[in-house]
């Protein structure tokens, strides 16, 4: 065996060793750089100051992700990030896409949904990183929701007639308003405690939310959460 | 014109606001009210305030037209403040008009009342 061969074997070994030892930190660095370079331009990854100005909402491009770990079901995140589809039927800030016809508003149908798509491996790694973002944990800890059921007919009446949620949200693919995120897949997408806490007080989650506080007591909120969690997509 | 408007909407990204802002040169004290109206109210009451927002066809009760001079003149500023702050039931109207006092502070609600007066009665 000559020196050149030895050297090349040695360098191959060093390279292999470097790959092996570098793998976990390397993957982590990738996730960080994906989040910073491909996501942070649109999504807030850190909680904003408490006294944030109202007009911040006008220029905000996308839902905040700094409480992602308190909001999403991980499985849903992985599958959505690798195959994204609309959640806000009229876009995140619908007013950007409204056409005033002179006799009422319609949506600009030329606007197409577009979102970065990740490979399954990237989606899995990014989901893991997002699940670590847990601002607002105190709200989850204060929440009292316990799973339960409600008669389906009552749930529908409550959501659509009595509480007026369907003015802004869809609870089926064929029913409900357009300005809020669709909720017929809430069971797959969102954690139960988040649903309960957000419906009780959306302003506590986001001072510039455009969802009103519906001024309900906790049992009334919990019935709505039972209903949403019972919906099949 | 429609295409032009569409382009304005695209380019500014805050079309409804730009549209409202274009209506009047005075964009001082009222600016706040116009911005808040765009952010919270347009979804139901419409970019023109005529009650025909993108959600309107999904609401059992038609959102009030804020450009109806007759109806709007019949309300005092205090009543308008009350219904925005506390919601429809505060003036015997539908619960489908939500209470906004948790999202908006008093001066913001006052700015909205001023903006409603402008919408209904200054055209």
């Amino acid at each position: 065996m000559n020196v050149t061969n030895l050297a090349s074997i040695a360098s191959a070994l060093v390279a292999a060793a470097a790959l092996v030892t570098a793998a976990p930190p390397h993957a982590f660095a990738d996730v960080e750089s994906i989040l910073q370079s491909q996501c942070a331009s649109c999504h807030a990854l850190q909680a904003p100051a408490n006294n944030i100005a109202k007009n911040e909402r006008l220029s905000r491009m996308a839902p905040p992700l700094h409480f992602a770990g308190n909001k999403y079901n991980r499985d849903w995140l992985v599958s959505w990030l690798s195959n994204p589809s609309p959640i806000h039927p009229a876009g995140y800030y619908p007013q950007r896409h409204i056409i005033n016809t002179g006799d009422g508003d319609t949506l600009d149908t030329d606007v197409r949904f577009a979102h970065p798509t990740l490979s399954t491996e990237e989606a899995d790694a990014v989901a893991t990183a997002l699940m670590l973002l847990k601002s607002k944990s105190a709200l989850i800890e204060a929440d009292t929701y316990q799973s339960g059921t409600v008669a389906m007919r009552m749930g529908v009446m409550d959501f659509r007639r009595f509480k007026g949620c369907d003015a802004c949200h869809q609870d089926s693919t064929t029913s409900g308003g357009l300005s809020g995120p669709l909720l017929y897949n809430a069971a797959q997408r969102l954690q139960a405690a988040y649903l309960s806490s957000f419906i009780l007080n959306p302003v506590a989650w986001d001072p510039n939310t455009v969802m009103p506080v519906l001024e309900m007591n906790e049992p009334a909120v919990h019935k709505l959460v039972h209903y949403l969690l019972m919906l099949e997509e | 014109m429609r295409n032009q408007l569409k382009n304005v909407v695209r380019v500014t990204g805050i079309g409804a606001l730009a549209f409202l802002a274009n209506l009047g040169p005075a964009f001082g004290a009222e600016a706040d009210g116009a911005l808040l109206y765009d952010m919270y109210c347009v979804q139901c009451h419409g970019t023109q305030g005529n009650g025909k927002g993108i959600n309107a066809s999904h609401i059992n009760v038609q959102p009030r037209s804020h450009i109806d001079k007759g109806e709007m003149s019949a309300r005092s500023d205090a009543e308008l403040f009350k219904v925005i702050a506390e919601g429809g039931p505060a003036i015997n109207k539908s619960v489908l008009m939500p209470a906004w006092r948790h999202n908006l502070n008093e001066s913001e609600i006052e700015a909205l009342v001023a903006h409603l007066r402008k919408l209904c009665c200054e055209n």
Side-chain angles (χ1 to χ4, degrees):
Chain A
M1 185 176 275
N2 62 34
V3 178
T4 341
N5 270 348
L6 248 187
S8 64
I9 288 171
S11 67
L13 276 177
V14 168
L19 267 183
V20 170
T21 52
H26 187 239
F28 180 72
D30 263 2
V31 174
E32 273 306 300
S33 75
I34 290 177
L35 284 178
Q36 292 309 324
S37 68
Q38 296 181 42
C39 318
S41 57
C42 294
H43 292 280
L45 300 172
Q46 271 166 355
N50 276 334
N51 56 350
I52 189 162
K54 269 272 145 45
N55 62 5
E56 170 270 347
R57 190 65 167 79
L58 298 181
S59 53
R60 198 195 292 174
M61 295 308 295
L65 292 179
H66 52 82
F67 45 78
N70 285 326
K71 173 173 176 178
Y72 304 107
N73 290 323
R74 190 182 184 285
D75 289 351
W76 177 85
L77 259 186
V78 176
S79 75
W80 191 86
L81 289 171
S82 52
N83 187 17
S85 60
I87 298 162
H88 291 74
Y92 182 57
Y93 194 69
Q95 287 81 330
R96 285 191 192 112
H97 312 300
I98 291 174
I99 300 173
N100 168 9
T101 64
D103 180 39
D105 295 343
T106 62
L107 286 167
D108 186 347
T109 46
D110 289 354
V111 177
R112 297 262 179 275
F113 174 81
H115 194 272
T117 304
L118 303 179
S119 70
T120 320
E121 295 74 37
E122 285 170 333
D124 195 72
V126 166
T128 301
L130 289 178
M131 292 306 287
L132 296 173
L133 302 181
K134 288 198 165 189
S135 75
K136 308 279 179 190
S137 286
L139 293 174
I140 294 292
E141 278 150 27
D143 192 78
T144 59
Y145 181 72
Q146 307 233 294
S147 62
T149 57
V150 66
M152 222 40 197
R153 266 175 54 102
M154 269 311 293
V156 172
M157 294 263 282
D158 204 18
F159 190 90
R160 299 186 186 172
R161 293 267 306 278
F162 304 144
K163 305 297 187 322
C165 313
D166 83 327
C168 306
H169 293 284
Q170 299 188 328
D171 61 347
S172 85
T173 50
T174 52
S175 166
L178 303 174
S179 66
L182 41 87
L183 290 178
Y184 51 79
N185 65 351
Q188 287 83 359
R189 188 163 81 92
L190 302 167
Q191 296 173 24
Y194 172 81
L195 285 168
S196 166
S197 175
F198 192 94
I199 296 168
L200 184 69
N201 189 354
V203 175
W205 283 89
D206 177 0
N208 284 344
T209 183
V210 293
M211 168 155 157
V213 175
L214 277 299
E215 304 192 331
M216 291 176 284
N217 60 24
E218 291 187 19
V221 170
H222 294 171
K223 281 188 197 133
L224 285 165
V225 178
H226 296 336
Y227 169 67
L228 290 173
L229 291 177
M230 287 165 74
L231 292 175
E232 296 289 331
E233 199 178 335
Chain B
M1 174 57 200
R2 226 184 108 181
N3 272 338
Q4 254 176 320
L5 186 59
K6 240 166 114 169
N7 283 336
V8 172
V9 170
R10 282 246 187 64
V11 172
T12 59
I14 44 169
L17 186 66
F19 185 66
L20 286 171
N22 284 341
L23 288 179
F27 199 58
E30 286 85 356
D32 203 28
L35 180 147
L36 295 169
Y37 194 83
D38 181 58
M39 198 170 144
Y40 295 100
C41 319
V42 154
Q43 51 184 327
C44 294
H45 289 279
T47 47
Q48 288 189 304
N50 59 4
K52 296 179 179 175
I54 53 166
N55 288 335
S57 59
H58 303 276
I59 308 176
N60 294 330
V61 181
Q62 169 85 36
R64 156 77 63 235
S65 168
H66 292 150
I67 56 176
D68 183 328
K69 193 167 182 172
E71 292 280 3
M72 291 300 288
S73 302
R75 294 270 180 222
S76 67
D77 284 2
E79 280 174 307
L80 292 180
F81 187 100
K82 199 171 168 64
V83 68
I84 298 169
E86 298 172 31
I91 59 162
N92 293 317
K93 289 285 179 174
S94 167
V95 291
L96 297 175
M97 165 61 193
W100 293 99
R101 59 182 155 193
H102 308 275
N103 303 68
L104 300 167
N105 63 31
E106 278 187 21
S107 62
E108 288 167 338
I109 297 176
E110 278 162 12
L112 276 167
V113 172
H115 183 70
L116 290 179
R117 287 292 177 226
K118 206 175 160 207
L119 275 180
C120 76
C121 310
E122 280 179 27
N123 285 319

